[in-house]
Amino acid sequence: MHRASGSAGVGARWRAGVVLMLGLSVGGCASLPRSTTPPAVAETARDRLGKRVEWVAASGRGDVVRAEIAGLLAQPLGVEDAVQVALLNNRGLQSAFAGLRVAETDLVQAGRLANPRFSTTRTRSGDSFKYETSLALPVLGLLTMPAALGMERQRVAAVGLEVSDRVLRLAAETRQAYFTAVAAEATVRYLDTAREALDATSELAQRMQRVGNLSRLEALRERAVHMDAATQLARARVASVAARERLVRLLGLTGEQASLRLPAELPGLPAAPAEMPDLESFALTRRLDLLAARRQAEATAASLGLVRATRFVNVLELGPATVLEAGEQAKKGYTISIELPLFDWGDSRVARAEAVYMQTLEQVAQVALEARSEVREAHAAYANEWEVATRYRDEIVPLRRTISEEHLLRYNGMLIGVFDLMADARDQIAAAQGYLDALRDFWLAEAALQQALGGRLPERPVAPPVSDQPDRKRNGG
């Protein structure tokens, strides 16, 4: 039963207080913005990748985006075009945009007071009745709203950074899948070339064995080489399909679009590796996962302050009350609802919040440590793969070509046989394959370094490509 007060002054003051609180409540009701592509994420893609992203479901430009993707897929796909297709069409990234929208709705909700609670009670006994009404307003929510809003803003910023980091990671994964797929298809072509030469060698060996010009042991050796090459080709075809399908998944392609066309060769090797002084400090200022972890720590710190402020009183409601009894004048007053800290003093909630905050601090330190290590590792691999690929291009492949020329001269002089010439052709193909693998590993290492640094590398000149195709004249082709 609520206590009543007949004082007109008290009623007037409470009416004024209710109007004031309702005005503050309306002022705190933030409106939900229209769904759009997150501007911060779009800026990250533009500044760090030179690409654009779009939340297709929110923009309503699905037909335009699909037409753009179809245009990019109508020709042999370049690596940068592949990245652009992934940023527009990858379903996981589109889901991340929706996740950011969820965080934004939480921010809007944090700026709205809980609805006031109206209660009424009516009792009757014979000719007598009693009628009570009360309106309770969430006073504590109004007092803690600024802190809650600040905390949610930090969390929205952290989720935005996480989505931006996902954009960069998707770009790096797409580049790596692209280079792997192109190299895998080139490997199939190299091994198919080797198989053609070995087919001719095997047929020649069988004819020579039938007429007695080749021993059984030598014929068996040639057959073993032929079978090994056939097995390698079969495995290469399986690897090529797997590499292509991984790229297709990242690009979000289905149906006829899944049969995209790729170029025949990888891009040429750069003239020099990119110079990147102060790699670690540079990465720490640009790594979005580290910035997101810091924002999350700030949001947790704000949450800790809010928990400490409300540890004793977690519920406080205030509002006017009216009591009407039969034969009496209506009595007006107020009602207060407060949580009494008799059993729960809030110490466990504070301890939990402090532990969560310490957890986030350690996570920030761990992310920073991993970032430094990843940058060092990625840069070492990048520089080493450039040296290996350069050695193949400038030394090993030309050396094998020179050796083949010498073998051809000896064959023309009848100093070696046709099987020696064919063995040399296989060695030349193996050297070309080694260069292809080294070139692929360099581009994979560069994509990993880009991801570790959180953006693109500086522009640098690209050396003219050195032909890594085996000489078909020496392969019997």
Side-chain angles (χ1 to χ4, degrees):
M1 175 177 175
H2 298 286
R3 292 185 176 273
S5 172
S7 172
V10 172
R13 287 195 297 272
W14 276 113
R15 282 193 296 272
V18 169
V19 171
L20 176 61
M21 293 183 66
L22 288 175
L24 292 173
S25 174
V26 172
C29 291
S31 60
L32 193 63
R34 187 175 65 89
S35 299
T36 59
T37 301
V41 180
E43 181 181 357
T44 297
R46 182 177 62 253
D47 294 345
R48 301 195 182 197
L49 299 174
K51 301 291 183 294
R52 69 181 187 87
V53 295
E54 186 169 335
W55 186 12
V56 179
S59 68
R61 289 171 15 97
D63 294 339
V64 177
V65 172
R66 283 189 289 271
E68 180 180 350
I69 293 172
L72 294 174
L73 297 175
Q75 53 191 350
L77 194 65
V79 61
E80 296 303 322
D81 291 338
V83 172
Q84 184 60 81
V85 171
L87 294 181
L88 292 176
N89 204 44
N90 182 271
R91 297 301 188 269
L93 183 59
Q94 295 294 311
S95 173
F97 289 149
L100 179 55
R101 179 65 172 175
V102 172
E104 291 174 345
T105 60
D106 290 341
L107 171 61
V108 173
Q109 188 64 36
R112 295 178 177 176
L113 281 176
N115 294 323
R117 292 193 298 172
F118 174 78
S119 65
T120 179
T121 303
R122 187 178 187 277
T123 59
R124 185 179 183 87
S125 176
D127 295 335
S128 175
F129 71 89
K130 188 175 183 179
Y131 185 67
E132 299 181 10
T133 62
S134 66
L135 179 67
L137 300 175
V139 179
L140 188 63
L142 179 65
L143 298 177
T144 59
M145 182 182 292
L149 278 173
M151 181 175 62
E152 290 300 331
R153 288 192 186 98
Q154 294 286 0
R155 286 178 176 165
V156 168
V159 174
L161 289 171
E162 291 173 355
V163 176
S164 296
D165 183 63
R166 182 161 187 168
V167 167
L168 299 182
R169 291 181 181 274
L170 175 60
E173 290 174 5
T174 301
R175 286 193 177 94
Q176 291 177 325
Y178 175 87
F179 294 133
T180 301
V182 173
E185 292 189 357
T187 296
V188 171
R189 287 191 293 273
Y190 279 129
L191 294 179
D192 194 48
T193 300
R195 181 189 59 79
E196 293 176 0
L198 289 173
D199 286 345
T201 304
S202 178
E203 183 180 353
L204 178 60
Q206 291 176 12
R207 289 202 303 264
M208 294 180 66
Q209 184 184 15
R210 283 196 295 266
V211 298
N213 292 333
L214 188 69
S215 68
R216 184 171 181 273
L217 178 60
E218 291 174 326
L220 290 175
R221 285 175 177 172
E222 290 299 325
R223 181 170 176 78
V225 170
H226 181 266
M227 297 303 295
D228 288 342
T231 302
Q232 292 178 12
L233 178 59
R235 289 177 174 173
R237 285 173 175 163
V238 173
S240 178
V241 172
R244 171 181 280 269
E245 289 301 325
R246 180 171 183 268
L247 177 61
V248 167
R249 289 194 297 270
L250 289 172
L251 299 184
L253 303 179
T254 58
E256 295 182 357
Q257 289 184 334
S259 58
L260 73 165
R261 290 187 295 162
L262 297 175
E265 297 181 353
L266 290 169
L269 191 67
E275 294 294 334
M276 295 293 295
D278 301 326
L279 282 176
E280 293 182 35
S281 59
F282 178 79
L284 291 180
T285 59
R286 291 175 60 85
R287 286 279 294 247
L288 297 182
D289 55 346
L290 180 56
L291 295 178
R294 289 171 177 168
R295 288 294 182 91
Q296 190 63 42
E298 293 172 0
T300 305
S303 175
L304 174 59
L306 186 61
V307 171
R308 284 175 173 170
T310 60
R311 62 173 300 181
F312 295 113
V313 178
N314 201 30
V315 176
L316 175 59
E317 296 177 337
L318 179 65
T322 301
V323 178
L324 177 63
E325 296 188 46
E328 296 185 10
Q329 189 176 7
K331 302 175 184 179
K332 300 183 179 298
Y334 60 89
T335 178
I336 298 177
S337 176
I338 186 172
E339 176 184 347
L340 299 178
L342 297 180
F343 307 107
D344 182 4
W345 288 77
D347 53 341
S348 60
R349 286 188 287 115
V350 173
R352 182 183 185 279
E354 290 176 345
V356 171
Y357 177 60
M358 294 302 298
Q359 183 183 38
T360 58
L361 289 182
E362 295 298 334
Q363 288 174 347
V364 171
Q366 181 65 25
V367 171
L369 186 148
E370 292 178 355
R372 290 177 179 272
S373 177
E374 288 173 3
V375 168
R376 292 193 300 267
E377 179 183 359
H379 184 263
Y382 169 77
N384 182 73
E385 294 299 343
W386 183 86
E387 291 181 0
V388 171
T390 301
R391 185 176 299 112
Y392 263 100
R393 184 194 63 187
D394 297 342
E395 299 179 19
I396 298 178
V397 172
L399 180 61
R400 277 297 176 187
R401 191 169 292 135
T402 302
I403 292 174
S404 295
E405 293 172 355
E406 291 295 325
H407 273 95
L408 184 59
L409 290 175
R410 291 175 178 272
Y411 175 76
N412 292 334
M414 303 183 67
L415 299 177
I416 60 174
V418 65
F419 295 109
D420 296 321
L421 192 64
M422 292 300 179
D424 175 72
R426 292 195 296 269
D427 292 339
Q428 186 185 2
I429 292 176
Q433 180 63 44
Y435 174 54
L436 174 63
D437 293 342
L439 189 59
R440 176 204 60 201
D441 293 342
F442 166 78
W443 289 116
L444 294 179
E446 183 183 80
L449 180 58
Q450 287 178 336
Q451 179 178 339
L453 292 175
R456 289 181 294 181
L457 301 181
E459 296 294 335
R460 67 269 196 262
V462 177
V466 175
S467 176
D468 54 355
Q469 295 287 349
D471 190 340
R472 293 186 179 271
K473 292 182 179 180
R474 299 185 183 90
N475 274 342

